[in-house]
Amino acid sequence: MMTAIAGGWRVISLAGDRLPDAMTATIVFGRDGKVSGQSVCNRFFGGYTLSGEGLSFGQTGGTRMACPQAEMEAEQRFLDLLQKVSRVTPDGQSDLRLMAGDQPAMLLRRTDGAEPASPQ
């Protein structure tokens, strides 16, 4: 499964609410258990653990640039949801759904053109 999520993803929605087109959040899953990306306003980095469908993120760090209020609020929501993620499920061929328990946390769409690997 690690290879199935490895690569770049764009955040489409946060907790079921579509992220405005003017805002960009991305997640890049490394095959080495490291994660990084754009958290709307800033860059973030950290680690993740994947076991079957279980997914969790470790403590994250990031840059601290100031942005307009709406972007800062979206970024804080993104970072808060990231810490609540408990599992991942495929959603079609190019999407992933990150779940916080039974609640949707994020919908991701593959951005790097790689096809998801079939589960081993």
Side-chain angles (χ1 to χ4, degrees), residues 60-103:
T60 59
T63 59
R64 297 246 181 234
M65 295 187 327
C67 294
Q69 187 66 29
E71 290 181 18
M72 295 297 289
E73 289 171 5
E75 177 171 88
Q76 191 58 55
R77 189 172 187 205
F78 167 83
L79 293 171
D80 289 348
L81 286 168
L82 202 63
Q83 293 303 311
K84 294 177 182 173
V85 168
S86 58
R87 63 187 172 95
V88 59
T89 58
D91 189 358
Q93 284 295 318
S94 60
D95 292 351
L96 280 182
R97 190 167 302 277
L98 304 187
M99 304 293 291
D102 291 332
Q103 300 298 312

Side-chain angles (χ1 to χ4, degrees), residues 5-30:
I5 69 168
W9 301 85
R10 182 179 174 124
V11 177
I12 303 302
S13 64
L14 296 173
D17 298 325
R18 189 165 180 81
L19 193 64
D21 290 338
M23 296 183 194
T24 301
T26 62
I27 299 177
V28 178
F29 292 99

